[in-house]
Each structure stands twice: as structure tokens, then as C-alpha cells.
Amino acid sequence: MKSTLLALSVSLALPLGSHAAVSDEWPAIVEQARGQTVYFNAWGGESNTNNTIRWAAGQGEERYGIDLVHVKLGDTAEAVSRVVAEKQGGNTSEGAVDLIWVNGENFATLKEAGLLFGPWVGQLPNFSLTDPENNPAVTTDFTVPVEGMEAPWGKAQVVFYYDTSLTENPPGSMPELLEWAQENPGEFSYPKPPQFLGTTFLKQALIELADDGDALYRPVAEADFEVVTAPLWNFLDQLHPNLWRSARNFPDNGPSLRRLMGAGELSLAFSFWPAEVPAAIANNELPPTVESYVLDGGTIGNVSFLAIPFNAQHKSAAMVVANFLLSPEAQAYAQHPDNWGFLTVLSMDQLDAEQKALFEALPSPKGGVTPAELQQVLEEPHASWVEALETAWLERYSGN
């Protein structure tokens, strides 16, 4: 009976017609995972995201006997702080966090402090479907080598969106954005850093405006921060008087930007999720006259990852969940604009015809961008720039 269950578990862990590679240890990991509870710490600020994780939880219970609990975070730093506190308190084996949705500076912090389990990603059968040898986006995180400490989950890229009934020619660059905002005062804004979308706007602007762009891809300590960022502050000093509410207030996050667009208070906004606008149009949150686009020089894109803390109680189940989330079925489900719109991290060249068909069947709803428009991706700066930019922004504009 045990051998039957083991074989069934292994087969369900793999994608249909799989090209995935199965390590000798994987069957035992799947068997050990059954009956475990995975406390998945993940940002809970979007209903589409939460619904996708809820769907994955149902699949985890049905296929693997795993209880997946979504611990909804306002900021990933909450989970990082918890793991740090547990380490300081001597908790080395009974951590409250089993799996974290993470990337960027939070991953760098955990890795540098030795707070991650691994390397483990190479044992996931579906990881090979990302073609890691030819896809550096899944093996580096904000220029920091992953080294098997986190598994890729999905891709995102900044898109701007505008109401075509109010704006005929949206700006295609940061200088054009400044000019547009001066001609249309109060109709654009961005979330207040350190909210991640607000910080992303700072990085997007800095990449375009900095005289020494190469400095952004090295640790910030190696750069002359004041010199490199001077064009950014000059840009923001001119932009802020023309923002929504003259920058006396800022939207809380991406959903707040979307609501302001839907209410007609803004006529230009941006998102990190290319499918956000089509989904919002379908849900009547945005008018059908809204269209998405990418800036002329490209926009920031990155990969979201899943990491397991060093002291997680249910590491086997966390690995099985991460592997399932990398399966073609789960990736196609997440990429569907009605579900989430996350872009897949899988390489289509690694999939068979049946697996590719899952993605080819996805709709291209109104208001979205085409895959061709998302080809020009700007790499995230080194992770150390995030905190430095946020601190400088708060000191300059919030008096903190």
C-alpha cells in the first residue's frame, strides 16, 4: 500500500508529459510532506493574489495531503523580522514560517544573515522547466546569486496605463512624464515609499535619469550616492507640485492607484502586474477606455521567488508546494488574467505540446499589453539600493 501511495504522489508532483528531472530524493520528500501544514507568508494586498493562493491550497490538499495556510502580510519585511527574531531567540527548529514569497532586499537580508534553508531548489522536478542554465533571471535576484536558496514563482513587469478618453498621447519617458504632469496637474501620482510599487517608481526613474547607470548594478556602498541620485531628486522636486493633491498625500499602493483611476481622479497610473488593467476592466473597476503600455526605453521587470527559512518546521511540504507552483498547470492558472495575471517563469522550449497549449489558450483581454511589448525588460538595481533610496526619499519628502 505504501509503495502505491508513493508512486501516486510522485506522479502527481510532475507535470503532464513532463520533461522535468526527478532526483533520487524527491519521492521520499513527497511522502514525508503528506500531512504537514505549510504556513505560507505572502503579501495579501490583492484579492486576485489571495484567490490564486487559495486555489493552490485546495490543490495541495487534494493532491499531496498538505494543509497550505496563507499568512497574509502587509509587507514581506514582517516575515523577515519574524525569522530574525526567532534566530536571536534561539529557535532553530520550530519556526512559525515555512515558506515566504520574497525577492530583492528581503532575500538579500535573509541570505546574508544565513537564515535560509538550502540549497534545495535543484531537487524540484519542475525547476528544470525554467531552463535555468540559459535563463539568468531565475538564478539571480536583484543581481544577487540565488544559489539554490529560493525557487522562482512568477514574473512581473511595470506597465503604465491611461484613459484614452482623457489623454491622447501618454508619456513614453520620465522627461515626458514630467512635461505631461505639468500640463495635466493632479492627474498622476505614485505610492509613498517604502511601499514596493512606490520604490519601484523611484528605481524606474533613476535607471532612466542617472548619468552613471552602471553604478546601480553594484552595491550602493561602492557608489557616490549623492552624485548618482541627484538627477532623481531634481526630477521629483519638479514633479511633486504637479502630482495628485500636490504630493501632500500619496496613494497607499497599487490598488489605491487603480481606484483613483476608476474614480476619474487620475488619468495616468502604473502597475507591476501587466494583467491588472484587463482584469480591472473586466470587473468594471476601470472604464473600457483604459489602455496599458510600456515606456519607450522599457520598464523594470523581476522574478518573485519562494524561500524556506532555516528553522522552518515543514521543509518537505514547503518544497512540494514550491514544486507544484512551478508546474505548467499552476503557472498557466496564475497567468490567466481572470485569476492573477502573473507571467510564467517557465521556458516554453522546455514544455511539450500539451503543456504549451495551456498557455496558448490564455485570452488576450482588452486593455492589456502584448508579449512583444513586454520584451524590453530593465533589470532591477542591486538590492542594496532599495533601502538607501527609501531612506533618502523619506528624509527629503517626509521629514523622517
Side-chain angles (χ1 to χ4, degrees):
M1 183 65 179
K2 183 176 180 180
S3 60
T4 301
L5 286 174
L6 186 60
L8 178 61
S9 298
V10 172
S11 67
L12 290 174
L14 300 175
L16 298 172
S18 177
H19 293 169
V22 182
S23 68
D24 293 339
E25 297 81 10
W26 187 248
I29 292 170
V30 174
E31 181 66 10
Q32 189 175 24
R34 185 167 296 278
Q36 293 186 350
T37 298
V38 174
Y39 291 96
F40 182 18
N41 284 237
W43 182 64
E46 274 281 8
S47 59
N48 286 355
T49 307
N50 299 338
N51 291 340
T52 298
I53 294 176
R54 186 177 301 114
W55 171 82
Q59 297 296 311
E61 175 66 32
E62 179 180 341
R63 298 176 183 226
Y64 312 114
I66 293 172
D67 181 18
L68 181 64
V69 178
H70 182 190
V71 180
K72 296 177 182 175
L73 305 177
D75 192 305
T76 304
E78 298 168 21
V80 175
S81 298
R82 176 171 296 180
V83 176
V84 170
E86 289 176 346
K87 177 67 178 297
Q88 293 173 341
N91 182 349
T92 60
S93 61
E94 298 181 350
V97 181
D98 293 304
L99 191 66
I100 309 176
W101 175 13
V102 68
N103 69 1
E105 75 280 11
N106 290 309
F107 168 70
T109 297
L110 290 167
K111 185 185 178 191
E112 185 176 352
L115 298 177
L116 292 174
F117 168 64
W120 56 275
V121 178
Q123 298 181 67
L124 304 185
N126 289 329
F127 180 59
S128 62
L129 300 180
T130 66
D131 194 14
E133 293 183 357
N134 298 301
N135 185 7
V138 301
T139 56
T140 58
D141 186 347
F142 286 44
T143 77
V144 177
V146 168
E147 297 181 323
M149 298 291 188
E150 57 178 3
W153 183 17
K155 294 191 296 186
Q157 185 175 345
V158 172
V159 295
F160 282 69
Y161 57 97
Y162 68 107
D163 192 330
T164 58
S165 69
L166 302 173
T167 298
E168 293 185 357
N169 299 305
S173 66
M174 288 298 156
E176 289 183 12
L177 173 60
L178 176 58
E179 183 178 345
W180 183 92
Q182 291 169 336
E183 294 172 352
N184 301 275
E187 297 185 25
F188 176 74
S189 190
Y190 64 94
K192 179 180 179 180
Q195 200 282 332
F196 84 92
L197 189 59
T199 303
T200 298
F201 179 75
L202 302 185
K203 291 184 288 184
Q204 175 74 40
L206 184 56
I207 288 173
E208 185 171 343
L209 298 171
D211 295 325
D212 182 11
D214 291 343
L216 302 176
Y217 297 96
R218 299 188 293 270
V220 67
E222 299 177 7
D224 187 330
F225 183 79
E226 292 189 7
V227 171
V228 173
T229 60
L232 172 65
W233 311 126
N234 180 54
F235 167 76
L236 293 178
D237 287 349
Q238 297 178 72
L239 180 67
H240 277 197
N242 300 288
L243 294 182
W244 177 71
R245 295 186 177 177
S246 301
R248 292 188 298 275
N249 302 100
F250 290 85
D252 292 333
N253 46 37
S256 295
L257 278 179
R258 190 175 68 235
R259 284 191 289 272
L260 290 171
M261 278 286 290
E265 293 194 51
L266 302 179
S267 57
L268 176 71
F270 62 102
S271 169
F272 219 134
W273 316 115
E276 178 176 342
V277 169
I281 292 174
N283 295 331
N284 297 315
E285 295 179 70
L286 291 175
T289 49
V290 172
E291 293 283 352
S292 308
Y293 72 104
V294 177
L295 298 182
D296 296 340
T299 51
I300 287 178
N302 67 35
V303 172
S304 286
F305 291 88
L306 302 171
I308 301 174
F310 78 104
N311 62 343
Q313 295 189 61
H314 308 114
K315 297 182 177 70
S316 295
M319 292 173 65
V320 172
V321 169
N323 187 61
F324 171 70
L325 293 175
L326 265 176
S327 68
E329 180 182 358
Q331 290 278 303
Y333 183 93
Q335 186 165 315
H336 196 296
D338 289 348
N339 299 327
W340 187 358
F342 225 7
L343 303 174
T344 183
V345 292
L346 302 183
S347 168
M348 292 299 111
D349 291 340
Q350 301 300 310
L351 306 184
D352 63 26
E354 187 175 359
Q355 294 162 349
K356 289 180 183 177
L358 296 173
F359 296 91
E360 292 168 351
L362 295 177
S364 299
K366 181 175 177 52
V369 292
T370 66
E373 292 174 289
L374 294 172
Q375 292 299 310
Q376 199 165 1
V377 183
L378 301 179
E379 187 180 359
E380 288 272 9
H382 189 276
S384 57
W385 283 86
V386 171
E387 184 176 356
L389 285 172
E390 291 170 345
T391 299
W393 189 96
L394 290 169
E395 290 177 349
R396 191 177 187 91
Y397 299 114
S398 290
N400 295 327

